[in-house]
Amino acid sequence: MSVADYRPIAAYLGPVASYSQQAALQAFSEVVWYLKPVTTIDDVCDATQDKKALLGVVPIENSTNGPVIFTLDDLADRDGRYKDLYVNGEIYVDVHHQLLGHKSANATAPSGGTSTPTAADPTPAKPKSQPLENLDHITKLYSHPQAFGQCTNFISTYLKNAEKFEVSSTSKAAEIVANDTSGTSAAISSRLAGQLYKLDTLADSIEDRDDNTTRFLIIGTEPTLPKDYPLKQDPATRTGTKSLVTFTVPHKSPGALADILGCFRDYQLDLTSINSRPSLQGPFQYIIFVEFEGHKLDDPDGRVNSALEKIEKMAQKFRWLGSWYTYR
């Protein structure tokens, strides 16, 4: 009998050693849960929606590079594929990227570099870290699009001539580089991935900001977490509650969006995030994502439910995507 036969499955964006796995390990005990890596964010949502996994873990935003559009597009659910998904929780992971690859056998000193001014950025920021090894042999750079966006200063200074290849995750990037016998490729990935794939650390902590953090969502097909399979959540560390809704507004109705957002003000609900994605119902029409403090199912004074009832009447399409408790 495999471990997956007697433990509930939590799916995450793999392969092993991804930041998504680190998020999953923060929230799920492997004594209770079987953590299953899958290839894409779509695969996490598919496994959860189809109940092949009881829960899933997906990245939603990074403090440096903003929202993860792949996750927003799945939660937008334009074609009804993920009609049963709810957000049940969130996880924060401190992200410190390594440049992983193979040392050059011929180089003797670490690479130097300069930031090149452009019309768009006449005074480019200097990277906060420098290479540990010479990078002149690196011609190909692999990573997830989010990681590229979090390391722009280092890349523009030391790897401006390397060709960039976007892949499904940072750990996938490390796997690709480990299998590249030419030795001319590098990956932006985690320290754990470097250890797993036995890669050299060519540069350490190359993210633009020391406070670089990614937030992940725990998703399921029920409005609440399963009671029989607890997560690593200490009630003593609970900090509050959040909810997430999506909606569309009449495209040619002046002030429609402002009127809906005013409902949160009227009921004194603090907004924590606003995003949008194209609705694909017509050019420049959008699905709006609003995250706010408050819990639909734990609402003693009724403010959350009153606001949502009012918004649902005003919006064209409305969906409550879940409420959860926050822990930090």
Side-chain angles (χ1 to χ4, degrees):
M1 179 181 291
S2 72
V3 291
D5 290 332
Y6 62 89
R7 287 186 288 179
I9 294 173
Y12 68 89
L13 176 63
V16 171
S18 66
Y19 291 108
S20 291
Q21 186 197 26
Q22 294 178 40
L25 288 169
Q26 282 185 203
F28 297 89
S29 167
E30 291 188 280
V31 174
V32 178
W33 292 84
Y34 174 65
L35 303 184
K36 181 179 180 179
V38 296
T39 305
T40 66
I41 291 172
D42 287 352
D43 292 337
V44 177
C45 294
D46 286 341
T48 308
Q49 171 64 41
D50 296 338
K51 295 182 170 57
K52 294 178 181 177
L54 187 57
L55 296 175
V57 175
V58 290
I60 186 64
E61 66 174 339
N62 175 264
S63 61
T64 301
N65 200 49
V68 180
I69 60 171
F70 308 103
T71 300
L72 288 179
D73 282 342
D74 285 345
L75 294 177
D77 195 30
R78 301 178 185 93
D79 58 4
R81 172 72 182 96
Y82 303 120
K83 60 184 178 63
D84 299 320
L85 291 188
Y86 290 93
V87 179
N88 295 150
E90 65 181 20
I91 313 158
Y92 290 84
V93 175
D94 294 333
V95 174
H96 301 291
H97 294 296
Q98 318 297 305
L99 183 70
L100 304 175
H102 302 281
K103 296 179 183 179
S104 172
N106 300 320
T108 58
S111 297
T114 57
S115 301
T116 303
T118 64
D121 189 6
T123 55
K126 295 181 180 179
K128 65 183 185 64
S129 61
Q130 298 178 343
L132 302 174
E133 306 291 340
N134 190 284
L135 305 180
D136 292 345
H137 63 298
I138 301 299
T139 61
K140 300 183 292 292
L141 183 62
Y142 294 87
S143 201
H144 187 275
Q146 273 280 338
F148 283 136
Q150 295 163 31
C151 304
T152 56
N153 295 340
F154 186 91
I155 294 170
S156 63
T157 300
Y158 297 109
L159 293 165
K160 65 182 70 176
N161 295 321
E163 187 174 4
K164 293 188 284 293
F165 296 89
E166 295 183 354
V167 295
S168 59
S169 72
T170 55
S171 55
K172 183 65 177 179
E175 180 183 21
I176 291 171
V177 170
N179 292 326
D180 179 8
T181 57
S182 73
T184 60
S185 61
I188 298 175
S189 192
S190 67
R191 187 182 305 277
L192 182 61
Q195 294 169 350
L196 177 67
Y197 293 107
K198 296 180 172 56
L199 293 169
D200 296 321
T201 299
L202 305 180
D204 185 28
S205 296
I206 66 171
E207 65 280 354
D208 292 343
R209 294 180 58 91
D210 289 327
D211 59 359
N212 192 43
T213 305
T214 297
R215 183 166 68 107
F216 295 79
L217 298 180
I218 300 170
I219 58 172
T221 54
E222 297 292 337
T224 58
L225 287 167
K227 294 181 180 179
D228 294 338
Y229 305 104
L231 274 61
K232 295 179 181 177
Q233 293 179 332
D234 181 1
T237 64
R238 183 183 295 179
T239 57
T241 57
K242 286 184 183 177
S243 296
L244 178 63
V245 296
T246 62
F247 55 85
T248 60
V249 297
H251 183 51
K252 294 186 177 181
S253 178
L257 177 57
D259 290 343
I260 288 179
L261 294 178
C263 293
F264 295 100
R265 178 200 58 216
D266 294 343
Y267 289 95
Q268 297 183 320
L269 298 172
D270 189 25
L271 305 187
T272 56
S273 176
I274 302 177
N275 285 291
S276 67
R277 294 297 295 152
S279 68
L280 305 186
Q281 298 301 306
F284 308 109
Q285 298 182 31
Y286 296 93
I287 297 172
I288 310 299
F289 293 74
V290 175
E291 185 184 87
F292 62 95
E293 293 182 353
H295 199 297
K296 186 177 187 294
L297 305 179
D298 186 0
D299 185 30
D301 56 10
R303 288 185 295 124
V304 172
N305 282 279
S306 295
L308 297 186
E309 288 170 8
K310 187 174 181 180
I311 291 168
E312 187 169 9
K313 293 176 181 177
M314 299 168 67
Q316 279 186 320
K317 292 183 179 179
F318 173 86
R319 180 175 176 181
W320 169 62
L321 273 167
S323 298
W324 62 95
Y325 296 101
T326 58
Y327 302 82
R328 283 300 298 268

